[in-house]
């Protein structure tokens, strides 16, 4: 399997398509992107198994609109798609819920993973997170809350 990553991994879609075309048949290919180039999916979707859009809240409305366009394009092409919300300590519940609402509007088949900000990851998740997840789950069915791994655990 192959994972194509980088904030703007679709920045040179022609080159990426040429490279992915050389992969052996049946190779599972995931692309992680910022979701700002939905038009690239028209060229790249034949090579991809999954597209993941990573978002860092809060996110400006024009950027979120492009993410939604990317998810709609993936859904219309029959491509598996996911969103990872990489939280920050400055992210509010309203930021998370706005993203969940917009993602759901783009495609209700999107898998969403929320990573809390660094402060929440150092300790036990408090009632804020269970309440926020309850509200988010009422808006979208495929939703998970996962702490990011960092440090020695990821270096083995």
């Amino acid at each position: 399997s192959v994972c194509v990553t980088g904030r703007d991994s679709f920045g040179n879609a022609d080159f990426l398509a040429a490279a992915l075309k050389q992969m052996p048949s049946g190779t599972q290919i995931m692309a992680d992107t910022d979701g700002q180039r939905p038009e690239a999916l028209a060229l790249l979707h034949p090579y991809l198994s999954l597209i993941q859009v990573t978002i860092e809240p809060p996110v400006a409305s024009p950027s979120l609109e492009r993410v939604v366009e990317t998810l709609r394009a993936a859904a219309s092409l029959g491509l598996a798609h996911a969103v990872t919300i990489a939280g920050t300590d400055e992210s509010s519940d309203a930021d998370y819920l706005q993203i969940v609402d917009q993602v759901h509007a783009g495609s209700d088949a999107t898998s969403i993973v929320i990573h809390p900000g660094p402060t929440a990851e150092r300790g036990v998740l408090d009632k804020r997170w269970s309440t926020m997840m309850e509200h988010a789950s009422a808006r979208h069915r495929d939703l998970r809350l996962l702490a990011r791994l960092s440090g020695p655990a990821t270096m083995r």
Side-chain angles (χ1 to χ4, degrees):
S1 63
V2 173
C3 183
V4 177
T5 64
R7 185 173 301 265
D8 188 15
S9 59
F10 291 173
N12 190 337
D14 291 328
F15 172 80
L16 186 56
L20 295 177
K21 189 175 186 177
Q22 303 304 312
M23 299 300 300
S25 178
T27 302
Q28 297 292 304
I29 301 171
M30 175 189 144
D32 180 64
T33 180
D34 61 4
Q36 298 305 298
R37 298 179 189 267
E39 65 281 354
L41 282 179
L43 178 63
L44 297 172
H45 84 274
Y47 311 107
L48 301 176
S49 307
L50 169 68
I51 179 170
Q52 174 179 284
V53 178
T54 299
I55 302 171
E56 293 179 11
V59 61
S61 186
S63 293
L64 192 51
E65 289 170 12
R66 300 285 289 170
V67 167
V68 170
E69 287 179 47
T70 299
L71 297 172
R72 282 189 181 124
S76 72
L77 293 165
L79 180 61
H81 48 287
V83 166
T84 297
I85 305 172
T88 65
D89 287 337
E90 295 76 34
S91 305
S92 70
D93 291 1
D95 294 329
Y96 291 108
L97 295 174
Q98 175 196 23
I99 292 168
V100 170
D101 284 341
Q102 293 299 308
V103 166
H104 181 79
S107 171
D108 64 356
T110 306
S111 295
I112 302 175
V113 175
I114 298 175
H115 296 294
T119 299
E121 291 174 359
R122 285 193 290 270
V124 176
L125 295 176
D126 59 21
K127 184 165 175 61
R128 170 202 173 197
W129 290 101
S130 61
T131 302
M132 196 275 299
M133 287 300 290
E134 182 179 341
H135 289 287
S137 295
R139 292 165 156 86
H140 190 79
R141 63 179 173 79
D142 189 356
L143 187 71
R144 297 165 188 86
L145 179 69
L146 300 171
R148 287 177 279 207
L149 295 177
S150 60
T154 61
M155 298 181 159
R156 294 175 203 217

